[in-house]
């Protein structure tokens, strides 16, 4: 509990909503390989989500189940339980895209096997003696998740407003998956940070784990994009460069480089709180109109009748 922040980040209470898992489902048979028409680079850059999220969000759930006994605030406990339910559904939904990619000639197994190793082995449970060492490793992972969630919320906020994807004719089913997921990331964007503040809150740990998370995400994302571009059966010489990413960001097809860089000092500010970013109102509005979320709600009501 040492090295606490001198100033306590202030949440925006109006941005807090009860969290629930929505049991969505998607049908992929009509989704083309390049679901952003004529733009394999944008397609595959966003497709990296399907490689990282199934293992990553299973890992979130695993870690959070271990930290539940440390939570002394009942409202936070309810938020964490809601977060666990939502993350489990995110993992399942993205995992179900992978067979569709295989059917189209893009087998992600070589990459996903390495991602599984990262989360299950490198970041998994370790044989440590009970007490200080075991708690230290748990707190490190809680802090890592808070840093990662800063960027999942950033991406969620971006995709909710990424109108250029609509203008380019992006596949509506894929857009619904991304925006349903993004809306829930915005909806629960404060949970991981508040949990970290509750069980530890050390600023040096927050800064250190941010550096690890940011470096790993950049590395994994560029490597995943290259993997897709090089293995796409329709691209004889598929390449992925930072220039491609920067140009798509300026066009509104991907997050802009400038916006991503400006997100760094916000997270590292001692006054940072996730509720001060994004809009719960926008997220809830999308979830009320999302075809997948609306269908899930109707099925839930039907089964309860």
């Amino acid at each position: 509990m040492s090295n606490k922040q001198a100033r306590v980040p202030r949440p925006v209470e109006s941005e807090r909503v009860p969290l629930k898992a929505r049991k969505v489902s998607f049908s992929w048979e009509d989704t083309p390989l390049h679901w952003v028409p004529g733009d394999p680079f944008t397609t595959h850059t966003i497709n990296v989500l399907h490689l990282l999220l199934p293992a990553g969000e299973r890992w979130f759930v695993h870690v959070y189940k271990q930290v539940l006994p440390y939570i002394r605030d009942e409202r936070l406990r309810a938020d964490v339980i809601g977060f666990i339910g939502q993350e489990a559904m995110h993992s399942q939904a993205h995992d179900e895209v992978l067979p569709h990619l295989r059917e189209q000639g893009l087998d992600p197994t070589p990459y996903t096997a390495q991602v599984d190793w990262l989360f299950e082995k490198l970041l998994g449970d370790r044989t440590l003696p009970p007490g200080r060492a075991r708690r230290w490793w748990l707190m490190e992972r809680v802090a890592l998740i808070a840093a990662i969630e800063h960027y999942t919320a950033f991406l969620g906020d971006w995709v909710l407003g990424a109108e250029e994807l609509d203008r380019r004719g992006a596949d509506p089913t894929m857009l619904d998956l991304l925006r349903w997921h993004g809306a829930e990331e915005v909806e629960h964007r404060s949970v991981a940070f508040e949990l970290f503040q509750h069980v530890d809150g050390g600023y040096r740990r927050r800064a250190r784990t941010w550096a690890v998370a940011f470096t790993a995400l950049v590395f994994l994302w560029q490597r995943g994009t290259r993997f897709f571009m090089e293995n796409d059966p329709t691209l004889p010489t598929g390449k992925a460069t930072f220039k491609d990413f920067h140009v798509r960001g300026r066009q509104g097809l991907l997050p802009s480089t400038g916006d991503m860089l400006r997100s760094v000092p916000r997270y590292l500010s001692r006054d940072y709180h996730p509720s001060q970013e994004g809009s719960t109102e926008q997220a809830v509005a999308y979830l009320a109109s999302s075809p997948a979320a609306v269908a899930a709600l109707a099925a839930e009501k039907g089964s309860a009748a």
Side-chain angles (χ1 to χ4, degrees), residues 248-264:
R248 299 308 194 285
R250 295 186 66 178
Q251 294 172 343
L253 290 162
L254 293 173
S256 75
T257 308
D259 285 345
M260 291 183 66
L261 293 176
R262 284 188 288 273
S263 75
V264 174

Side-chain angles (χ1 to χ4, degrees), residues 89-278:
M89 276 306 307
H90 298 169
S91 175
Q92 178 180 319
H94 286 277
D95 206 24
E96 290 173 354
V97 180
L98 300 183
H100 177 65
L101 295 177
R102 292 188 188 96
E103 290 169 2
Q104 296 182 314
L106 248 180
D107 183 6
T109 304
Y111 189 91
T112 55
Q114 295 176 23
V115 174
D116 289 343
W117 177 87
L118 171 70
F119 286 107
E120 294 173 9
K121 302 299 182 182
L122 187 62
L123 295 175
D125 296 338
R126 297 181 178 177
T127 305
L128 297 169
R132 188 171 182 176
R134 189 173 295 180
R135 179 184 169 88
W136 179 89
W137 181 230
L138 180 60
M139 295 304 113
E140 284 289 294
R141 292 183 291 172
V142 168
L144 276 170
I145 293 172
I148 294 169
E149 281 289 299
H150 173 63
Y151 287 101
T152 58
F154 169 85
L155 292 172
D157 185 48
W158 172 78
V159 78
L160 285 172
E163 296 178 356
E164 189 61 26
L165 290 172
D166 300 274
R167 284 191 284 269
R168 298 292 180 98
D171 178 71
T173 302
M174 187 64 75
L175 280 183
D176 189 34
L177 166 65
L178 297 172
R179 286 174 174 158
W180 156 75
H181 185 173
E184 290 198 345
E185 290 297 333
V186 172
E187 192 179 46
H188 72 221
R189 66 193 182 280
S190 296
V191 176
F193 184 80
E194 289 186 347
L195 178 60
F196 169 67
Q197 291 294 115
H198 181 72
V199 298
D200 184 90
Y203 182 78
R204 282 181 292 183
R205 173 171 270 153
R206 167 148 65 107
R208 181 180 68 250
T209 52
W210 166 82
V212 173
F214 183 78
T215 302
L217 285 172
V218 170
F219 172 76
L220 290 169
W221 218 293
Q222 59 87 23
R223 196 163 178 271
T225 305
R226 288 180 180 175
F227 172 84
F228 272 136
M229 293 293 288
E230 291 170 0
N231 290 279
D232 186 322
T234 71
L235 302 177
T237 56
K239 295 182 179 180
T241 67
F242 177 76
K243 181 180 179 181
D244 293 325
F245 182 89
H246 182 70
V247 169
R248 299 308 194 285
R250 295 186 66 178
Q251 294 172 343
L253 290 162
L254 293 173
S256 75
T257 308
D259 285 345
M260 291 183 66
L261 293 176
R262 284 188 288 273
S263 75
V264 174
R266 293 201 302 272
Y267 185 74
L268 295 178
S269 167
R270 290 182 180 271
D271 287 330
Y272 169 81
H273 191 276
S275 65
Q276 298 160 5
E277 300 195 38

